[in-house]
Amino acid sequence: MGTLTLLKSQGLSHWKWLLGKWFALFLPIFVVTAALFLLAGLLLNNLDDFGVFNWGSLFTMFLVYIGYYMIFINIVLLISSRTKKSGISLVVSLSVWIIACLAAPKAASNIAESKHPYPTRQEFAANVLNDKKEGLDGHNPWSKEAKLLEQEVLKEYGVDSLHQLPFNFDGYRMQKGEEHEAQVYFKHYNYLKDQYSKQSKVYRGLAAISPYLPARFLSMAVAHTDYATHWDFADAAESYRIATQEFLNNNFAENSAFGEWSYQADADTWKDLPVFEYDPPELKSILSRNSSNMGILGIWLLASFGLLLFNVKTI
Amino acid sequence: MLSYNFKYELKLLLRSRWIQLLSIILLLLFGFAALNGTKKVEKRNMDIVAAKDEVKEDDGMMLKLLDSVERGLEVSASPWTIPTSPMAVGNYHPRVAAMEPQPMAFIATGQADLFTHYVKPKVSGDDFALNFTEMTSPVQLLFGSFDLAFVIIYLLPLLIIAFSYNVLSSEKESGSLRLLAAQPIGIQNWVLQKLGLRFFWLSVLVAVVLIVVFLALGINPFAQSVTFFGLLGLTLAYMLFWFALAFLVNLWVGSSAKNAVALLGLWVVFVLLVPSVLNQLGNTLYPMPSRTLMINEMRGLKAEVTKKADEILDNYLRDHPEYAINDTTQTRGFYHRYMASQKLIKEELAPVVNAYEEQLQKQQNWIGRFKWISPAIIVQESLNHMAGTSTKDYESYRKQVAAFAHTWREHFMPFLYNNREFSQKDYPDLPSFNYEKGTQLQLGTIPLLFLIAVGLFGLGFLISKSVKGQGILNQG
């Protein structure tokens, strides 16, 4: 309604006007967000069975969201100062929101998938099976690889029959087969990880049009609900599996005679069974792993501030 | 008055470049979405074809091997994989049970990114061990796919809102409303005509863009005319619903900014809030049973059954005297016991598996009961049906595969228990899988949506007439 001209006639500088508008938008959002985060922190901290709660993580997440909101405040102010009618300003702001938060993530997901597709479940299973076949099957003493291993071991120990070995060869062969399989799984899961890290690059590229993407990835990472944390856990579980198999096979190899398939370990054996221990990644390592996301969010923050300041001179 | 309105609205829309802008936006959105969809369908088709080719190649090798064995030649394969054994055929030469995409599969991803489109059931193993989940990065699932359904359900209403939020208020704000009020037409009628014309032009644009996009992607929309016109009708009905809301908001709410906020609020409620709240409530009310627990139970049962394998086999043969009589050699191997116990395991585990299906059904019913709260849910469901990617379609596929797995297993039972060898002449009799679309195209929702929209228009008329005394001119 032309109040801006009126304000200007009072000798109000652009800077002060901008600062006032910016804080008028930011302060209520900041207060509400801070109050909600504080409330959430107090609640979660006092839940007995909540699990891992960390004020540092909550504060980091708070910072991420505050940064994210600042970016949107900057964009909205920028649009508002450039348009003549409030209605149009609203529609343009809305379009920015649709593009950044609804369309871009979906488009990113489509592009990432068509560029770096995952294998189908059946392909994946078939590839694993093929690679397994290439090597030693610990449960098949008649295969070529098993015979080869037999010759090798006999030669190494300088004996001419498996019975003369100081350990049960069946257990030894099973362990070797296990090691081969573990390698196969490692290779194929690594391929998935590889595809995913390539997909991540697509997401990072499209973050140029959407601050939503880095904010989302960061908050998932801090909350331990992102893909990287899942892999971290899956890797720990896999190495636990490998350790358990090794323990069982070695126990069988060391304590039983060749051909003694009815061997049973005594009760004390199980005390030595490796225990699964898992520590979720620390906040520090999460942040360093997500430095690129933080960087992109930082660039958005700086760039949107910069544009706003640059723009305010020309109102 | 209508013809004047028609003429000048069109002029206005063209001058303000709305029509041009909308055509470009629609073309881009529909084009990108349909392209994404067709890419996905292409990949799905290619995966299935590759799997079938592999089986074909594999079958060739199997027949050669059978030929060699039948002619008494020595073969180099591992003894348990030689296809004279029926169990070797059933395990190492499974058929592809594929769910081929429907012709309109590209319009809605639905659950296509969750489930695999082919499995190969074997004689050993269980139906519930058949894994139907697809390998996708969870980030992909989180963001979803930019498909036509997304454009129609999420973005089209926003375009309509941007297109119609200030039909009345802008006239009010620029002061031309008083001028209009001097014309011999009621305000409601005039808003209705204005919105009607916009609806008409947007419909024309959407129809043209759809046809253009379809043709550009090499899909003939008229080859699937029922589905195509279903899609068009559904889209138009959904659009009309949003125009009806815009009509109400234009009549009741005041300034342009307030109108826009009100319409956006409605958009958030209908498109974002209601579907996700219903979904969340469905999950909370009818939680899925734990898969880990089911697997544990299955393992316990298997261990128990393995101990009693001999007894089970005896019982099985008692139930199937035809096998006991025909058997002359009386040799009983691993597979005789195994297959008999598999049957038992399947029967015992049926309640656990059914519990899962029941919960799923309950969730579906829950959403089915409340879906009329939001047209977005109805449209999403209908589009998924048209695309053949709805929950029901995948459920039907799973059932068909389970039935086929049963057929496949049963096909080899006479061979196994009669100790008959599999030979080349048995090859053509192997059962094969043919997916049949399990759901019928339901177009009944389209007239219902139209009715809802028309009802909203009527409501607007009635109520705005009753508050006429107050006068639209004096508002805001």
Side-chain angles (χ1 to χ4, degrees):
Chain A
M1 295 287 144
T3 42
L4 184 60
T5 333
L6 216 69
L7 276 174
K8 274 189 194 162
S9 71
Q10 302 287 315
L12 181 78
S13 74
H14 287 313
W15 284 97
K16 274 192 181 161
W17 173 81
L18 180 72
L19 216 64
K21 286 285 178 193
W22 196 87
F23 273 104
L25 286 177
F26 177 69
L27 276 179
I29 289 170
F30 179 79
V31 170
V32 168
T33 315
L36 285 177
F37 266 81
L38 195 68
L39 190 71
L42 288 175
L43 276 177
L44 296 179
N45 201 20
N46 287 313
L47 281 181
D48 289 333
D49 48 0
F50 178 66
V52 190
F53 176 75
N54 183 341
W55 279 103
S57 298
L58 192 72
F59 185 66
T60 316
M61 208 183 268
F62 175 68
L63 288 184
V64 169
Y65 281 116
I66 288 298
Y68 178 62
Y69 296 148
M70 280 180 179
I71 294 170
F72 270 93
I73 290 173
N74 293 346
I75 295 173
V76 166
L77 271 181
L78 192 69
I79 293 169
S80 170
S81 68
R82 289 279 96 186
T83 44
K84 292 210 172 84
K85 282 186 191 163
S86 54
I88 292 177
S89 163
L90 189 75
V91 170
V92 176
S93 307
L94 183 74
S95 319
V96 170
W97 175 70
I98 295 168
I99 292 172
C101 299
L102 281 177
K106 281 183 189 279
S109 131
N110 277 105
I111 296 169
E113 201 198 349
S114 63
K115 268 189 158 176
H116 311 288
Y118 267 30
T120 63
R121 173 172 293 284
Q122 283 74 18
E123 277 166 16
F124 183 79
N127 291 344
V128 169
L129 197 68
N130 271 343
D131 274 2
K132 270 195 198 168
K133 271 188 203 156
E134 302 265 300
L136 177 72
D137 174 2
H139 296 277
N140 179 3
W142 303 283
S143 72
K144 206 167 62 192
E145 285 81 13
K147 293 285 174 211
L148 222 67
L149 181 78
E150 215 176 288
Q151 300 306 322
E152 241 173 64
V153 173
L154 287 179
K155 210 163 146 197
E156 192 185 330
Y157 283 83
V159 289
D160 46 11
S161 94
L162 294 173
H163 289 277
Q164 293 163 344
L165 287 171
F167 50 81
N168 185 345
F169 180 73
D170 284 328
Y172 181 80
R173 190 190 55 242
M174 286 197 290
Q175 179 51 26
K176 286 288 158 200
E178 204 55 57
E179 281 165 20
H180 163 67
E181 281 185 9
Q183 246 175 9
V184 171
Y185 287 126
F186 183 73
K187 175 184 152 193
H188 287 281
Y189 280 107
N190 253 358
Y191 174 71
L192 288 189
K193 283 185 200 172
D194 241 33
Q195 288 301 88
Y196 179 66
S197 69
K198 280 180 197 156
Q199 290 185 355
S200 297
K201 272 186 200 141
V202 176
Y203 288 118
R204 278 202 288 275
L206 273 163
I209 58 163
S210 166
Y212 170 88
L213 287 170
R216 178 103 211 205
F217 282 123
L218 265 175
S219 68
M220 285 198 296
V222 173
H224 282 169
T225 51
D226 68 334
Y227 206 19
T229 314
H230 165 74
W231 275 123
D232 195 67
F233 172 72
D235 286 347
E238 170 69 359
S239 44
Y240 168 71
R241 188 188 71 84
I242 292 172
T244 312
Q245 296 282 7
E246 192 176 5
F247 171 81
L248 295 175
N249 284 330
N250 284 351
N251 180 284
F252 182 65
E254 281 159 22
N255 297 316
S256 65
F258 182 66
E260 188 190 350
W261 284 107
S262 56
Y263 162 75
Q264 282 187 330
D266 53 24
D268 285 341
T269 314
W270 308 111
K271 282 181 193 153
D272 302 328
L273 189 75
V275 184
F276 180 67
E277 271 172 26
Y278 177 67
D279 289 315
E282 297 275 324
L283 184 59
K284 234 190 238 167
S285 66
I286 286 178
L287 291 183
S288 71
R289 203 157 53 191
N290 282 283
S291 52
S292 61
N293 280 324
M294 288 199 296
I296 294 168
L297 209 59
I299 291 173
W300 261 102
L301 202 57
L302 290 179
S304 60
F305 264 123
L307 264 177
L308 191 62
L309 293 181
F310 179 73
N311 182 63
V312 76
K313 288 181 191 158
T314 60
I315 288 177
Chain B
M1 194 67 198
L2 180 66
S3 60
Y4 271 108
N5 246 338
F6 188 85
K7 200 167 140 197
Y8 288 105
E9 262 308 294
L10 181 60
K11 272 197 175 166
L12 262 176
L13 289 176
L14 282 172
R15 292 265 166 83
S16 62
R17 302 225 164 76
W18 253 116
I19 296 243
Q20 294 90 321
L21 186 70
L22 267 180
S23 335
I24 294 170
I25 292 178
L26 284 178
L27 209 56
L28 282 177
L29 290 177
F30 278 68
F32 181 61
L35 184 73
N36 281 332
T38 41
K39 265 190 194 163
K40 272 193 190 240
V41 173
E42 225 168 80
K43 181 169 187 290
R44 177 171 162 186
N45 266 329
M46 266 164 34
D47 287 341
I48 292 174
V49 168
K52 285 193 168 161
D53 282 349
E54 202 194 326
V55 165
K56 221 181 260 170
E57 208 174 292
D58 202 58
D59 279 0
M61 309 247 282
M62 174 178 85
L63 287 174
K64 260 187 215 159
L65 212 60
L66 272 178
D67 192 51
S68 311
V69 175
E70 279 165 25
R71 280 192 287 150
L73 299 173
E74 189 134 327
V75 289
S76 64
S78 304
W80 61 87
T81 62
I82 293 175
T84 46
S85 145
M87 288 297 108
V89 181
N91 273 327
Y92 303 114
H93 304 280
R95 306 292 100 178
V96 176
M99 182 186 184
E100 280 92 6
Q102 299 299 310
M104 287 285 187
F106 67 96
I107 59 177
T109 306
Q111 302 199 324
D113 48 357
L114 281 180
F115 294 116
T116 175
H117 293 110
Y118 71 93
V119 284
K120 297 182 191 170
K122 299 172 178 175
V123 281
S124 63
D126 335 85
D127 295 347
F128 22 84
L130 274 178
N131 203 333
F132 286 94
T133 49
E134 187 48 283
M135 286 175 93
T136 330
S137 105
V139 179
Q140 222 96 285
L141 295 179
L142 174 73
F143 291 148
S145 179
F146 197 110
D147 53 6
L148 268 181
F150 168 71
V151 174
I152 291 169
I153 294 165
Y154 285 74
L155 302 185
L156 207 51
L158 289 170
L159 286 177
I160 293 170
I161 292 173
F163 196 36
S164 59
Y165 74 99
N166 62 355
V167 165
L168 181 60
S169 54
S170 70
E171 302 278 355
K172 218 185 295 177
E173 278 152 15
S174 64
S176 49
L177 187 63
R178 283 176 187 281
L179 221 64
L180 269 168
Q183 304 294 323
I185 183 170
I187 288 293
Q188 297 94 344
N189 259 330
W190 178 77
V191 175
L192 186 68
Q193 283 187 12
K194 242 179 129 149
L195 282 178
L197 290 169
R198 285 170 191 234
F199 173 67
F200 172 74
W201 285 116
L202 194 61
S203 305
V204 170
L205 285 183
V206 166
V208 171
V209 164
L210 266 181
I211 293 175
V212 167
V213 165
F214 272 51
L215 290 176
L217 289 170
I219 301 148
N220 180 6
F222 306 107
Q224 296 290 327
S225 56
V226 177
T227 327
F228 179 74
F229 286 111
L231 170 69
L232 197 60
L234 194 67
T235 313
L236 296 190
Y238 186 59
M239 278 164 52
L240 195 64
F241 169 78
W242 283 100
F243 271 104
L245 285 184
F247 177 65
L248 290 183
V249 168
N250 262 299
L251 285 183
W252 288 347
V253 186
S255 64
S256 301
K258 274 188 197 158
N259 281 355
V261 170
L263 279 169
L264 287 178
L266 288 173
W267 180 83
V268 169
V269 168
F270 283 126
V271 175
L272 294 181
L273 224 53
V274 171
S276 63
V277 167
L278 275 185
N279 198 9
Q280 203 66 43
L281 278 176
N283 268 333
T284 321
L285 286 176
Y286 309 107
M288 280 294 155
S290 154
R291 186 176 156 78
T292 322
L293 283 183
M294 181 177 109
I295 290 176
N296 273 349
E297 199 164 325
M298 192 165 81
R299 284 184 181 160
L301 203 68
K302 275 186 183 166
E304 217 173 282
V305 162
T306 317
K307 276 186 213 154
K308 296 188 289 187
D310 283 321
E311 198 183 317
I312 292 167
L313 178 64
D314 285 346
N315 285 337
Y316 177 78
L317 288 177
R318 209 166 296 141
D319 289 344
H320 293 269
E322 72 271 21
Y323 296 145
I325 295 164
N326 292 350
D327 182 23
T328 48
T329 55
Q330 289 295 325
T331 48
R332 292 292 179 217
F334 163 78
Y335 269 118
H336 295 102
R337 285 184 196 89
Y338 177 84
M339 294 312 294
S341 10
Q342 267 325 89
K343 257 201 154 68
L344 193 83
I345 292 176
K346 195 179 166 186
E347 279 157 22
E348 297 252 330
L349 271 183
V352 186
V353 179
N354 287 346
Y356 172 83
E357 294 285 343
E358 263 167 39
Q359 280 309 73
L360 196 68
Q361 195 53 50
K362 277 183 191 161
Q363 284 191 0
Q364 288 301 310
N365 292 345
W366 161 263
I367 291 175
R369 216 176 308 143
F370 291 102
K371 69 180 177 189
W372 288 98
I373 298 178
S374 163
I377 303 176
I378 301 168
V379 175
Q380 178 77 63
E381 241 182 26
S382 309
L383 289 177
N384 286 352
H385 272 302
M386 284 177 195
T389 55
S390 65
T391 318
K392 282 221 175 73
D393 287 300
Y394 284 93
E395 209 178 280
S396 144
Y397 170 62
R398 281 201 299 276
K399 282 196 180 130
Q400 289 180 40
V401 170
F404 173 71
H406 181 74
T407 317
W408 181 249
R409 213 171 286 132
E410 288 305 309
H411 182 77
F412 292 101
M413 287 307 107
F415 286 92
L416 178 69
Y417 287 100
N418 293 332
N419 285 338
R420 220 183 95 201
E421 288 204 333
F422 189 82
S423 67
Q424 281 185 82
K425 65 177 188 327
D426 295 319
Y427 173 75
D429 297 335
L430 282 180
S432 67
F433 180 81
N434 249 329
Y435 173 67
E436 269 162 37
K437 187 172 172 13
T439 52
Q440 292 293 317
L441 196 59
Q442 289 158 337
L443 299 175
T445 49
I446 299 172
L448 273 172
L449 263 181
F450 268 112
L451 269 181
I452 291 178
V454 171
L456 285 176
F457 274 115
L459 192 73
F461 255 101
L462 274 178
I463 295 183
S464 69
K465 280 228 163 103
S466 69
V467 294
K468 213 177 175 184
Q470 198 185 323
I472 289 173
L473 286 178
N474 301 324
Q475 280 176 22

